[in-house]
Amino acid sequence: METPIIFIVLVLIGYALGSAKLINQGNEALVERLGQYHRKLKPGLNFIVPLVDKIVMEDTTREQILDIKPQKVITQDNIDVEVDAVVYWRIRDIERSFYAIEDLQGALTQVTTTTLREIIAQHTLEQTNASRTDMHSAIIVQLNEITGDWGVEILRLDLQRITLPESVRKSREEQQAAEIKKRALITEAEGEKEAAIKKAEGTMASVQIISQALRSNPDSRDILRYLVAQDYVDASQKLGESSNAKIVFVDPANSSEMFQELIAESVNNEGNGKKTENGNT
C-alpha cells in the first residue's frame, strides 16, 4: 500500500514542478495549448498544464537598443554620405511581436535603414546637419506606422555620425576658412574706420582748443611754434631709426607759420560766424 501512495505523491510533486513557471520582472511569456495560442504569462509565479501547455516565447518588455551600422545615403543635392544611427524601442504587445513577424530584430533593422535613406534623400546636406531633430521626429513617426502592427513602439532615434566624402570635407573646410578670413577682414576694416573717425574727432577737438587759446591769449603763438617744432624733431628721430627710411628735413619755422595761418583762418571763420549770428539776431 505504501508504494502506490509514494508513487502518487511523486507524480503530484513532478506535476507541480512541471506546471510551475517563474517569469522574471520585466519579461512576459506566451503559452500555446496543443499548438494554438492560449494565454500570456505575466511576471511572477504562473502554472501551466504539463504536456498540454508549452511556453513558446519569453521576451523582455523593457527598452532595447538597436544599432544601425553605417549606411551609404544620397542626399537631395546628390552628395554621398555615410550615416549610422541608434534606435531605442520596446515591445508593447508580445503576442503580435511573435506571431506577426518572423525575425523582429532583422525586420526592425531593415525598415529603419530604408526609412532613414528615404528621409535623408528628401533633404540637402545642409538641411540634414541643421535640422536633425525634425528628421528624428519624421523618422520615428514613419517607423511607428509600420512597427505598430508588430506590437513594437519606436521611442527614440539618434543619428550618431554623418561622414562626408574626403573631397566634400576638404571643400567645406576651405569654405569655412574663407568665411573666417572674410569676417576677420571686415572686423579689421571696421576697426580702422572707427580709429580714423576717432582720430579725426580728436584732431578737430585739438584745433578748437588751440583756436580758443589763440583768441584769448596772443602770446600762445610762441608756445604753438615750439610744440610744432618739437613734433617735427620727434618725427625725424623715428624716421632715422629705420634702416631703409628716407629722412626729409623740413623747416619748423615755415611749417609752424603755415599751421598758424590755418589756425588763424579757423579763428576768423568762427568769429565771422558769430558776427553773422548776432547780425541775424
Side-chain angles (χ1 to χ4, degrees):
M1 294 295 295
E2 293 181 357
T3 302
I5 295 174
I6 295 174
F7 177 76
I8 294 173
V9 171
L10 291 177
V11 169
L12 291 175
I13 293 174
Y15 180 85
L17 292 175
S19 63
K21 298 297 180 182
L22 184 64
I23 306 300
N24 295 327
Q25 183 66 36
N27 289 2
E28 289 183 351
L30 296 178
V31 175
E32 288 184 354
R33 174 166 291 179
L34 299 177
Q36 292 184 342
Y37 171 72
H38 176 56
R39 65 191 179 99
K40 184 189 304 181
L41 302 183
K42 297 293 185 179
L45 183 61
N46 299 267
F47 293 93
I48 63 174
V49 179
L51 303 178
V52 176
D53 293 342
K54 178 183 178 182
I55 295 179
V56 294
M57 177 192 182
E58 181 178 349
D59 204 348
T60 179
T61 57
R62 291 169 290 184
E63 186 172 325
Q64 302 184 60
I65 298 175
L66 179 64
D67 187 12
I68 304 299
K69 296 181 179 180
Q71 304 288 327
K72 289 189 176 181
V73 184
I74 301 177
T75 62
Q76 190 181 41
D77 46 354
N78 294 323
I79 297 179
D80 292 331
V81 296
E82 196 173 71
V83 178
D84 63 315
V86 174
V87 178
Y88 299 85
W89 62 283
R90 65 179 300 179
I91 295 176
R92 289 295 185 185
D93 189 337
I94 193 170
E95 180 184 350
R96 284 194 289 175
S97 71
F98 181 72
Y99 291 107
I101 190 74
E102 177 67 26
D103 181 4
L104 181 59
Q105 290 274 356
L108 286 175
T109 301
Q110 292 298 323
V111 73
T112 302
T113 302
T114 303
T115 305
L116 192 64
R117 289 175 176 173
E118 181 181 346
I119 296 296
I120 292 180
Q122 299 173 4
H123 296 75
T124 63
L125 180 60
E126 293 297 331
Q127 292 172 343
T128 302
N129 288 322
S131 58
R132 289 197 185 187
T133 302
D134 295 337
M135 289 182 56
H136 293 170
S137 300
I139 294 172
I140 290 173
V141 170
Q142 193 163 330
L143 284 176
N144 279 321
E145 292 177 355
I146 301 173
T147 61
D149 295 335
W150 303 339
V152 171
E153 180 185 7
I154 305 299
L155 303 175
R156 295 187 307 280
L157 182 140
D158 293 330
L159 292 176
Q160 290 189 314
R161 286 183 300 273
I162 298 178
T163 306
L164 302 177
E166 186 67 19
S167 58
V168 176
R169 186 183 62 80
K170 288 184 179 179
S171 177
R172 287 173 62 87
E173 289 177 353
E174 292 174 357
Q175 183 179 359
Q176 291 176 355
E179 186 66 25
I180 294 173
K181 184 177 180 180
K182 177 183 175 181
R183 289 198 296 266
L185 292 175
I186 292 175
T187 302
E188 183 180 358
E190 291 177 349
E192 292 178 353
K193 178 182 177 181
E194 184 176 354
I197 292 174
K198 294 294 184 182
K199 184 177 180 181
E201 291 175 351
T203 303
M204 184 180 299
S206 300
V207 171
Q208 291 175 353
I209 293 172
I210 295 173
S211 300
Q212 293 176 0
L214 291 177
R215 284 199 306 272
S216 61
N217 187 5
D219 295 337
S220 300
R221 296 177 181 273
D222 294 334
I223 298 174
L224 178 63
R225 185 178 296 108
Y226 171 76
L227 293 176
V228 173
Q230 189 177 29
D231 288 340
Y232 275 111
V233 171
D234 293 340
S236 299
Q237 289 179 349
K238 290 180 180 180
L239 289 173
E241 292 175 357
S242 176
S243 59
N244 47 353
K246 295 183 180 180
I247 303 177
V248 179
F249 294 96
V250 181
D251 186 1
N254 294 334
S255 51
S256 63
E257 291 177 359
M258 292 172 58
F259 186 73
Q260 292 176 25
E261 290 177 0
L262 293 174
I263 297 297
E265 183 178 354
S266 174
V267 171
N268 292 333
N269 290 336
E270 291 181 1
N272 293 334
K274 290 184 177 181
K275 290 180 181 180
T276 303
E277 292 178 359
N278 293 331
N280 292 335
T281 305

